[in-house]
Amino acid sequence: MIEERFDAIVVGAGMAGNAAALTMAKKGMKVLQLERGEYAGSKNVQGAILYADMLEKLIPEFREDAPLERHLVEQRFWIMDNRSHVGLHYRSEDFNEERANRYTIIRAQFDRWFSSKVREAGATVLCETTVTDLAQDAYGRVIGVRTDRQDGEIHADVVVLAEGVSGLLGTRARLRERPKPNKVALAVKEMHFLPRETIEARFNLNGDEGVVIEAAGTISGGMTGMGFIYANKECISLGIGCLVADFQRTGRTPYELLDRFKRHPSVAPLIEGSEVKEYAAHLIPEGGYKAIPQLYGDGWVVVGDAAQLNNAIHREGSNLAMTSGRIAAEAIFQAKSRRLAMTKENLALYKRMLDRSFVLKDMKKYKDMPRLMHTNSQNFFLTYPQLISKAMQTYLRVDGTPKTEKQKSTLKSFVNARSWIGLFGDAFRFARAWR
Amino acid sequence: MKVERSVRVEDKLFCNRYLVDAGRPHIKVRAHTKPSPQLLALLKACPARCYDLNDKEQVEVTVDGCMECGTCRVIGEPTGDIEWGYPRGGYGVLFKFG
């Protein structure tokens, strides 16, 4: 056993773990952070968009040296059928501000930088170390961790579980359930490299301006899922994800889905001639507010993806991870500075603080959305995109058909597909889940 | 069961960095005579195509190339079909971009 005792052990060096370790180290706590990858970021996968506000609260001057790709000036949302897409674009010169609001990043590089800040703040960061179990006393209180190193048991007052979506330790210790197939999505992603001038020309960008495209429709083959295309400096992150339960049900393969997305006539020209340098896969928590587990107990707290903190509607995950990590660290520090033991009762402060933050307020707002999307996937991801696309084509194609007839046939196609009751029902349920 | 062959996953995995922990696979399939539906689902759901059928129609796993996403854990662990863990520290997939 390692005799040295720590104030806190943080498991994982992703967004949540780094935020927690940094916050506690800055406050002078004795922090040990354990990461199973060769370096922080080597096991982490994300799209990825970084929201500046949440990082600014941790590292106000991050823009000086953080590895940022492009600041976003444009957001596109595509509803796709097999041959076309109907798009909603928002582009604003206002996003060309000095302190930009959103950036694309490359996680392996960003996390490495983030980890260097954690080290600078005084935390001990130990990579290439897999935590195999939580160490618990006879009363079930968490007193530390066991690792795959020799003499690998290490003790601390509190363990911060920032172990990611799969969250092995917490589930092994029966602190929470393992994620279920209908509460996680599997996303696959490729990195497509192209000269930066080519990317800027294809996406209509100047300098470091960036664009993200989110896409839904027949590309997911009736499964609950979305595709994404993010422009980085010299590469494009392109991926697609669907619920694991849907993959299980349909027998579709993730790589075939990715390949179909890449070959779509709206996507193919964007990546033509690119060199693929990495293929990655990752789970995304999709269960929403109702899937959030117990967040604290005797000697432990759970943060980020491991706590299912992901707002699927707004595609916000890493900022919730960062914020929950920071808030957990602040709660722990408050307990410590009042000389309180790290008991379940005292660590409940973390949950109270999280309840007051945007993290749980936003999650709560969309608490009914996952069920609506997951139980109506055929309508939302197959029927409607096809109907909308057909309606647009009918509207735009000039062929001598009187407009009244066109409108009638479009309306009829919607009613035939979903019936009046179905249409009103879908609209009502959607509005209710959204409000 | 025919596994999708139109897309070559091997080519995709070829560009990834991977450190094999020889003789210590981090995922194991429980011995079986006839695979369960969950186990068969892994043949297709695994994004690295780590699962395949042997000549006795049993499901086997080869973890080289595994991206540690956890999909097989979510599907196969509750039924006891697989034993799932992370590779030892430093081993397994090493993302350059992630």
Side-chain angles (χ1 to χ4, degrees), chain A residues 36 166 171 178 190 279, chain B residues 12 16 47 68 73 77 91:
Chain A
R36 62 191 185 88
S166 219
T171 51
R178 96 166 61 73
E190 285 179 350
Y279 170 59
Chain B
K12 291 180 187 293
N16 289 357
E68 298 158 32
R73 181 195 179 207
E77 205 187 46
Y91 288 96

Side-chain angles (χ1 to χ4, degrees), chain A residues 36 38-39 42-46 106-108 128-130 148 166 168 171-172 178-181 186 188-191 193 244 248 251 253-256 259 277-283, chain B residues 3-4 6-7 9 12-13 15-17 38 41 43-49 67-71 73-75 77-78 84-98:
Chain A
R36 62 191 185 88
E38 183 183 47
Y39 52 87
S42 64
K43 298 287 183 183
N44 302 346
V45 178
Q46 194 199 339
I106 292 172
R107 274 297 296 273
E128 299 190 311
T129 308
T130 301
D148 61 352
S166 219
L168 201 57
T171 51
R172 268 185 193 163
R178 96 166 61 73
K180 294 191 170 69
L186 165 64
V188 286
K189 184 184 85 159
E190 285 179 350
M191 293 300 256
F193 279 75
V244 169
Q248 203 177 346
T253 65
Y255 30 90
E256 170 248 1
D259 201 56
K277 291 199 183 173
E278 194 166 83
Y279 170 59
H282 198 64
L283 293 182
Chain B
V3 176
E4 183 77 41
S6 63
V7 186
V9 186
K12 291 180 187 293
L13 296 173
C15 59
N16 289 357
R17 260 182 83 209
Q38 286 79 10
L43 300 177
K44 292 192 165 191
C46 171
R49 223 166 62 76
M67 295 179 280
E68 298 158 32
C69 67
T71 301
R73 181 195 179 207
V74 169
I75 297 174
E77 205 187 46
W84 193 88
Y86 283 122
R88 275 197 296 163
Y91 288 96
V93 73
L94 297 157
F95 291 116
K96 280 174 290 182
F97 308 107

Side-chain angles (χ1 to χ4, degrees), chain B residues 25-30 51 73 76-77 80-85:
Chain B
H26 62 276
I27 304 169
K28 287 178 190 141
V29 175
R30 183 175 63 174
Y51 292 84
R73 181 195 179 207
E77 205 187 46
D81 281 313
I82 63 165
E83 256 179 67
W84 193 88

Side-chain angles (χ1 to χ4, degrees), chain A residues 20 80 158 163 225 228 243 245 258 288 296 343 368 378 401 425:
Chain A
M80 302 176 89
V158 63
E163 48 179 340
F228 62 89
L243 275 191
L258 181 65
Y296 57 92
T343 59
D368 296 323
Q378 291 282 329
T401 314

Side-chain angles (χ1 to χ4, degrees), chain B residues 35-69:
Chain B
S36 69
Q38 286 79 10
L39 213 40
L40 287 172
L42 302 184
L43 300 177
K44 292 192 165 191
C46 171
R49 223 166 62 76
C50 290
Y51 292 84
D52 218 337
L53 286 177
N54 65 18
D55 47 18
K56 288 181 213 146
E57 300 284 300
Q58 291 156 349
V59 175
E60 285 182 344
V61 64
T62 313
V63 295
D64 311 1
C66 168
M67 295 179 280
E68 298 158 32
C69 67

